[in-house]
């Protein structure tokens, strides 16, 4: 499966914008954006006429890269060249772009000769998507509110057209709509719209839009801390299995957050791990990568594990995860004082990441780790000493806490109440049926990966005939070669085709 | 509308009289709820007058408190579900209610006593971190939960007198029952035997008879002459090899390998 573009859904918009402006003045692109847009439109046309959604996907894959190179003139030129002069669609698109100076790019002269007579509506939607993204990239609020208007109009149009060949583009448009509402700080207002659209998408088996919409809804619920509703949405819907990797990564991320809040840490851990695995490379979407890892680290701590040290040395994560690294250190040493100071020092950041309540829950883990360390290093320790070492308030508390730790299986041992000490038992050996279970899970994962990749391979229609013909030709050539007894080179140019 | 107003005033009178007339309140509340549904205020939709909403909210709040006082938890549950619309969706347009946090806190305690920890945290997540730390009505259940999770049961025991509102005390008894059972299960795992006197202190029993009754319930062996409780020692856990699972796993691998080769 190809790696589809992925925007850092939680990243600060400011960073994103900065990236856009930085890249504008340096266009060493091998192909100019206008030409690229035109090529893309041609591809979309082909996709619609041959009923092969593959081509549309190819177009959408370039969306992120293209988005960063857009400006008013480019979009204007693209619209001008693609549509005929008196086209109504053209006028409706141009309304959204500011009046530009006379187009002065030389390369659109050659294309003006042939103006396509009719353009599929999918192409219009694609152009609208580009315009929305372009408007959203602007910093001024006025332009952003224009983007919101355009987004709403586009949604209306898209729903009235109701074409299946538009599904892939529609999914992207929904994402853009969500972003538009987000920037206008009106996400909660978009919920009814999304809910209605999600129902329709589910009924029409429109998997891509369905996946995108579920994610938009989850995001909106979680942004308002409505975990209850988000959980209900998850339990009432099935996430389409054919959704793209990027949507899956997002879905797993949200699911991980919901489960973490519900104290279902093992499931949260699985989901966050999936999100990390499915997410695009760290450099492409650093915002997403960082925020998944923040939750991942906290959940791992809550499960009683200590995240690997190398994670915090990762170039993208090092800075973002600094506060979490400090927390990990405190938990690892089992020192309540250090934990409290770390918590106090970084409270603002934790609140920003909305991990604060999760981190508060770590307090008991700190105590548990402390007890475990004590039980490993002492054969027998008095409750008073435990109390001093762990900074607990009273011996009475220590007795209850140790009792609970023994009950929960954190440590093996006994309390001898009359003498006021704890005796620590032997450690369990690491080899049991669990090991084979874990191993079995890994094998299952690898096998599944293999099967999935076999399924994902594409066999173009009639390609084998070509191969047969090629083989035929090769045989004949071979005969000739044998006849002439000379060295020849079998060229394989027609074996693979352009796929 | 005038009838509603009369009922409302009657409810306020009944609620404010000391001690509140619970039966009268319940009867009036039922009538009021019907009235509110007719006026479209119980589950407000679209444009409604803000003043009316405030009244509707107050009626529901009183309903929630009355149901706690008359120990009717399911009814409290229903009132709280209805109040959530007012607390979340209309939080911006309505003036804040002074009963909001006590009721939210009561709901948290209720979740705690029913051992619905996941719901407890989900609900907590919808509150501001500031409120959680500073508001006494909220921080009380939050602290209780933290101590319960840590195992500092004596702190929970001591906090039972510090309830920020009268209604909280209602939950204390059932909470203490939960704690006793928690402590008992810890003791079963952590001790081999325990003197009766100490067991009574640990389980917060003021006298031995309560303890003996409790010990009987949990099936502990009480040795009266020596004055100790003996806990059953668990036998060494037998390690069983999960044959069935291993065989089916191996077969599955064989099948998959067959497919690959």
């Amino acid at each position: 499966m190809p790696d589809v573009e992925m925007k850092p859904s939680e990243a600060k918009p400011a960073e994103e914008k900065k990236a856009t402006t930085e890249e504008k003045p340096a266009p060493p692109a091998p192909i100019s954006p206008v030409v690229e847009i035109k090529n893309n439109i041609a591809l979309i046309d082909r996709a619609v006429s041959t009923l092969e959604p593959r081509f549309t996907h190819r177009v959408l894959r370039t969306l992120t890269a293209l988005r960063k190179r857009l400006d008013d003139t480019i979009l204007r030129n693209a619209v001008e060249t693609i549509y005929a002069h008196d086209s109504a669609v053209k006028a409706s698109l141009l309304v959204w772009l500011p009046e530009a100076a006379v187009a002065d790019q030389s390369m659109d002269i050659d294309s003006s000769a042939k103006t396509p007579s009719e353009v599929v509506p999918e192409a219009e939607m694609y152009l609208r998507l580009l315009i929305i993204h372009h408007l959203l990239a602007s910093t001024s609020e006025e332009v952003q509110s224009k983007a919101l208007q355009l987004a709403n109009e586009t949604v209306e149009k898209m729903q009235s057209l109701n074409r299946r060949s538009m599904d892939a583009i529609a999914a992207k448009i929904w994402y853009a709509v969500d972003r538009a509402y987000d920037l206008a700080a009106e996400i909660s207002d978009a919920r009814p719209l999304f809910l209605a659209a999600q129902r329709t998408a589910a009924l029409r088996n429109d998997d891509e839009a369905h996946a995108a919409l579920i994610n938009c809804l989850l995001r909106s619920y979680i942004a308002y801390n409505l975990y209850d509703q988000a959980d209900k949405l998850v339990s009432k819907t099935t996430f389409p299995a054919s959704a793209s990797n990027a949507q899956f990564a997002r879905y797993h991320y949200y699911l991980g957050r919901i489960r973490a809040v519900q104290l279902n840490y093992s499931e949260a851990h699985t989901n966050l791990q999936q999100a990390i695995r499915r997410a695009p490379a760290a450099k492409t979407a650093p915002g997403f990568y960082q925020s998944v890892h923040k939750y991942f680290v906290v959940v791992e701590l809550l499960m009683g594990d200590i995240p690997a040290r190398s994670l915090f040395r990762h170039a993208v994560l090092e800075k973002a995860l600094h506060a979490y690294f400090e927390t990990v250190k405190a938990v690892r040493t089992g020192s309540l004082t250090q934990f409290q100071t770390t918590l106090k020092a970084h409270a603002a950041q934790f609140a920003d990441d909305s991990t604060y309540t999760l981190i508060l829950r770590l307090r008991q883990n700190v105590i548990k780790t402390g007890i475990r360390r004590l039980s490993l290093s002492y054969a027998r320790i008095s409750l008073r000493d435990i109390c001093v070492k762990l900074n607990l308030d009273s011996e009475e508390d220590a007795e209850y806490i140790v009792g609970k730790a023994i009950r929960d299986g954190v440590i093996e041992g006994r309390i001898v109440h009359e003498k006021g000490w704890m005796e620590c038992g032997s450690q369990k050996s690491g080899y049991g049926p669990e090991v084979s279970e874990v191993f079995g899970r890994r094998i299952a994962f690898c096998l599944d990966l293999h099967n999935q990749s076999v399924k994902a391979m594409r066999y173009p229609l009639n390609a084998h005939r070509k191969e047969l013909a090629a083989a035929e030709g090769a045989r004949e050539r071979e005969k000739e070669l044998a006849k002439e007894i000379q060295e020849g080179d079998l060229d394989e140019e027609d074996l693979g085709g352009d796929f | 509308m005038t009838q509603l107003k009369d009922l409302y005033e009657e409810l306020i009178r009944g609620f404010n009289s000391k001690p509140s007339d619970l039966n009268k309140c319940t009867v009036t509340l039922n009538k009021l709820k019907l009235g509110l549904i007719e006026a479209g205020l119980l589950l407000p939709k679209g444009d409604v007058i803000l003043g009316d909403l405030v009244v509707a909210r107050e009626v529901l709040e009183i309903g929630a408190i009355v149901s706690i006082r008359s120990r009717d938890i399911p009814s409290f549950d229903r009132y709280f579900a209805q109040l959530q619309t007012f607390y979340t969706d209309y939080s911006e347009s309505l003036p804040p209610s002074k009963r909001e946090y006590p009721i939210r806190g009561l709901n948290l305690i209720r979740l705690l006593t029913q051992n619905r920890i996941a719901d407890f945290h989900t609900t907590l997540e919808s509150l501001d971190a500031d409120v959680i730390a500073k508001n006494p009505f909220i921080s009380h259940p939050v602290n209780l939960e933290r101590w319960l999770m840590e195992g500092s049961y004596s702190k929970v025991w001591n906090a039972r007198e510090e309830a920020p509102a009268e209604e909280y005390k209602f939950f204390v008894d059932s909470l203490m029952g939960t704690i006793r059972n928690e402590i008992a299960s810890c003791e079963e795992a952590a001790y081999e035997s325990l003197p009766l006197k100490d067991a009574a202190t640990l389980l917060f029993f003021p006298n031995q008879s309560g303890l003996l009754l409790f010990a009987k319930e949990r099936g502990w062996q009480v040795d009266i002459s020596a004055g100790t409780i003996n806990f059953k020692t668990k036998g060494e856990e037998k390690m069983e090899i999960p044959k069935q699972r291993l065989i089916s796993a191996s077969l599955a691998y064989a099948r998959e390998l067959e497919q690959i080769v």
Side-chain angles (χ1 to χ4, degrees):
Chain A
M1 258 182 259
D3 226 338
V4 191
E5 62 94 17
M6 173 99 189
K7 274 149 280 173
S9 54
E10 298 287 314
K12 285 147 197 112
E15 275 173 28
E16 222 175 298
K17 271 168 229 148
K18 210 171 76 198
T20 328
T21 39
E22 267 170 18
E23 274 174 48
K24 257 181 201 165
I31 176 168
S32 89
V34 177
V35 179
E36 195 174 334
I37 294 176
K38 279 187 58 209
N39 289 346
N40 284 341
I41 297 283
L43 274 174
I44 291 177
D45 193 50
R46 197 161 143 209
V48 175
S49 55
T50 58
L51 293 177
E52 268 280 18
R54 207 151 38 88
F55 295 112
T56 319
H57 284 295
R58 192 191 288 181
V59 171
L60 294 175
R61 223 172 298 153
T62 61
L63 185 65
T64 336
L66 184 63
R67 201 178 50 161
K68 290 183 180 156
R69 286 160 43 203
L70 292 178
D71 63 33
D72 291 338
T73 348
I74 291 173
L75 282 170
R76 184 163 274 276
N77 276 335
V79 174
E80 296 268 5
T81 50
I82 288 163
Y83 287 101
H85 259 306
D86 47 354
S87 154
V89 179
K90 175 177 161 181
S92 73
L93 286 176
L94 285 180
V95 172
W96 299 100
L97 295 167
E99 284 301 325
V102 186
D104 51 4
Q105 294 205 358
S106 52
M107 69 229 162
D108 61 323
I109 294 167
D110 59 337
S111 56
S112 57
K114 59 165 181 73
T115 328
S117 50
E118 51 179 313
V119 186
V120 288
E122 281 79 1
E124 185 198 343
M125 287 299 142
Y126 177 66
L127 285 169
R128 277 171 178 268
L129 177 63
L130 288 180
I131 298 174
I132 297 176
H133 272 307
H134 172 60
L135 292 178
L136 284 177
S138 142
T139 39
S140 91
E141 274 183 28
E142 197 186 325
V143 180
Q144 281 172 8
S145 71
K146 241 170 94 183
L148 187 59
Q149 281 174 37
L150 174 61
N152 281 331
E153 194 193 288
T154 310
V155 166
E156 256 168 53
K157 197 145 190 198
M158 187 165 77
Q159 282 170 337
S160 66
L161 281 168
N162 185 19
R163 285 163 68 111
R164 291 288 65 76
S165 46
M166 208 183 272
D167 288 349
I169 301 175
K172 294 282 171 194
I173 289 180
W174 282 118
Y175 180 81
V177 172
D178 182 41
R179 182 103 184 102
Y181 273 102
D182 185 17
L183 286 179
E186 290 171 9
I187 314 187
S188 54
D189 298 353
R191 246 177 254 155
L193 176 72
F194 285 152
L195 279 169
Q198 188 261 332
R199 270 198 300 277
T200 326
L203 286 175
R204 288 187 185 144
N205 283 330
D206 177 0
D207 284 351
E208 278 141 295
H210 191 190
L213 283 164
I214 290 182
N215 279 333
C216 290
L217 281 167
L218 283 180
R219 178 168 132 76
S220 126
Y221 284 135
I222 290 179
Y224 287 85
N225 283 331
L226 298 170
Y227 287 94
D228 214 15
Q229 267 142 301
D231 181 45
K232 277 187 189 125
L233 177 73
V234 170
S235 62
K236 298 275 189 291
T237 51
T238 36
F239 196 74
S242 64
S244 71
N245 251 348
Q247 297 295 358
F248 253 117
R250 252 186 230 127
Y251 184 68
H252 281 304
Y253 167 66
Y254 293 134
L255 212 55
R257 283 185 63 170
I258 297 171
R259 294 289 174 255
V261 167
Q262 294 173 331
L263 289 97
N264 191 345
Y265 300 130
S266 50
E267 212 172 295
H269 188 259
T270 326
N271 277 305
L272 291 171
Q273 202 163 36
Q274 280 297 317
I276 291 172
R277 285 189 188 144
R278 290 203 186 238
K283 289 264 161 44
T284 347
F288 184 78
Y289 199 71
Q290 284 164 358
S291 66
V292 182
H293 269 97
K294 282 173 189 167
Y295 279 92
F296 187 66
V297 168
V298 177
V299 167
E300 215 161 61
L301 284 177
L302 283 168
M303 289 174 77
D305 295 339
I306 301 293
R309 179 71 177 80
S310 57
L311 190 69
F312 299 100
R313 288 209 203 93
H314 193 287
V316 177
L317 299 175
E318 193 176 5
K319 220 168 169 185
L321 290 190
H322 176 71
Y324 295 85
F325 178 50
E326 296 287 316
T327 318
V328 171
K329 279 202 285 195
V331 175
R332 209 177 70 89
T333 48
S335 142
L336 264 185
T337 16
Q338 198 187 339
F339 177 71
Q340 294 294 8
T341 31
T342 319
L343 189 62
K344 215 169 273 168
H346 300 287
Q349 195 198 332
F350 294 144
D352 253 8
D353 299 339
S354 55
T355 50
Y356 189 70
T357 43
L358 288 181
I359 287 181
L360 278 182
R361 291 186 207 165
L362 276 173
R363 207 183 119 86
Q364 31 166 321
N365 286 56
V366 179
I367 296 176
K368 273 190 197 163
T369 332
I371 293 182
R372 192 189 289 159
R373 282 166 67 89
L374 287 178
S375 85
L376 287 178
S377 33
Y378 293 88
R380 181 190 295 165
I381 180 167
S382 76
L383 290 172
R384 159 140 296 280
D385 287 339
I386 294 179
C387 203
V388 173
K389 283 192 193 301
L390 295 183
N391 265 333
L392 300 175
D393 292 340
S394 68
E395 231 168 290
E396 212 183 354
D397 274 338
E399 187 164 354
Y400 286 124
I401 291 173
V402 171
K404 191 170 160 46
I406 294 174
R407 203 251 337 235
D408 295 348
V410 178
I411 51 171
E412 295 261 307
R414 302 231 145 252
I415 302 176
V416 182
H417 186 81
E418 296 85 346
K419 309 227 167 93
W421 68 46
M422 168 180 97
E423 278 174 8
C424 310
S426 56
Q427 288 297 304
K428 269 195 262 176
S429 75
Y431 290 92
E434 316 87 64
V435 181
S436 80
E437 219 163 279
V438 173
F439 191 51
R441 263 212 305 277
R442 287 191 189 172
I443 295 178
F445 179 80
C446 292
L447 287 173
D448 190 46
L449 186 70
H450 174 266
N451 289 343
Q452 291 289 343
S453 31
V454 169
K455 272 188 211 157
M457 281 202 243
R458 298 199 67 92
Y459 303 98
L461 277 178
N462 300 332
H464 65 287
R465 284 205 199 133
K466 233 182 187 178
E467 235 165 276
L468 279 183
E472 195 75 25
R475 220 170 291 141
E476 261 170 40
R477 261 203 305 276
E478 228 172 284
K479 268 184 211 158
E480 274 173 40
L481 285 176
K483 221 181 264 172
E484 292 171 25
I485 319 168
Q486 69 176 48
E487 285 208 333
D489 51 344
L490 258 175
D491 61 340
E492 294 175 349
E493 63 181 336
D494 44 7
L495 278 179
D498 56 350
F499 290 113
Chain B
M1 227 39 199
T2 48
Q3 199 201 347
L4 261 184
K5 206 164 176 221
D6 291 346
L7 281 171
Y8 169 68
E9 274 159 11
E10 199 184 324
L11 176 72
I12 297 284
R13 266 202 307 280
F15 183 70
N16 284 342
S17 67
K18 291 206 171 143
S20 324
D21 189 346
L22 291 181
N23 286 338
K24 200 175 136 206
C25 283
T26 323
V27 175
T28 329
L29 273 169
N30 282 339
K31 283 188 208 151
L32 263 174
K33 272 195 280 186
L34 282 177
L36 286 178
I37 292 172
E38 276 164 18
L41 287 169
L42 194 62
L43 296 165
K45 259 186 218 157
D47 292 330
V48 268
I49 306 158
L50 282 186
D52 290 354
L53 279 179
V54 174
V55 173
R57 187 178 64 181
E58 197 174 350
V59 169
L60 290 174
E61 282 171 343
I62 291 176
I65 293 172
V66 165
S67 30
I68 290 280
R69 287 193 187 160
S70 48
R71 328 227 134 182
D72 186 356
I73 301 295
S75 151
F76 172 75
D77 209 1
R78 284 193 297 275
Y79 277 113
F80 186 76
Q82 281 157 354
L83 275 171
Q84 273 204 313
T85 325
F86 292 92
Y87 290 155
T88 40
D89 299 352
Y90 288 92
S91 60
E92 277 166 23
S93 42
L94 288 182
S97 152
K98 65 176 194 306
R99 294 203 190 91
E100 172 174 352
Y101 287 110
I103 288 181
R104 278 178 185 270
L106 281 172
N107 181 47
L108 285 173
I109 295 241
R110 175 182 68 93
L111 293 174
L112 208 56
T113 47
Q114 293 172 343
N115 214 8
R116 285 159 65 185
I117 305 292
D119 288 328
F120 178 87
H121 281 288
T122 322
T123 320
L124 202 60
E125 203 68 36
S126 61
L127 294 170
D128 268 353
D130 225 28
V131 173
I132 294 174
K134 301 223 174 83
N135 194 307
F137 296 107
I138 305 295
S139 61
H140 181 69
V142 169
N143 282 334
L144 287 184
E145 192 267 350
R146 194 173 302 157
W147 292 328
L148 273 180
M149 287 299 129
E150 264 173 34
S152 316
Y153 298 118
S154 61
K155 281 193 188 140
V156 184
W157 182 256
N158 295 333
R160 75 191 189 286
E161 294 303 325
E162 300 163 12
E166 203 48 42
E167 283 76 21
Y168 282 60
K169 299 229 166 105
F170 165 63
F171 289 105
V172 164
D173 292 335
S174 58
L175 194 61
M176 289 309 131
T178 323
I179 296 181
R180 269 198 194 122
N181 280 319
E182 278 282 303
I183 298 175
S185 71
C186 291
E187 286 181 352
E188 281 165 15
Y191 299 91
E192 272 160 9
S193 72
L194 200 60
L196 275 176
K197 202 164 67 61
D198 294 328
T201 338
L202 283 175
L203 289 165
F204 310 115
F205 280 110
N207 49 35
Q208 285 218 355
S209 55
L211 173 67
L212 290 178
L213 211 66
F214 186 75
K216 209 171 165 192
E217 256 174 54
R218 294 201 65 102
W220 291 342
Q221 292 166 345
V222 184
D223 191 342
I224 299 279
S225 57
T228 54
I229 299 176
N230 294 318
F231 301 103
K232 272 180 228 157
T233 39
K234 290 172 288 169
E236 277 296 295
E237 281 175 47
K238 259 208 296 184
M239 190 91 114
E240 254 188 73
I241 298 172
K243 305 177 200 100
Q244 201 73 35
R245 207 172 45 76
L246 284 178
I247 294 172
S248 64
S250 313
L251 283 178
Y253 299 154
R255 200 171 49 242
E256 293 284 346
L257 273 179
E258 191 96 309
Q259 277 179 17
I260 296 174
V261 182

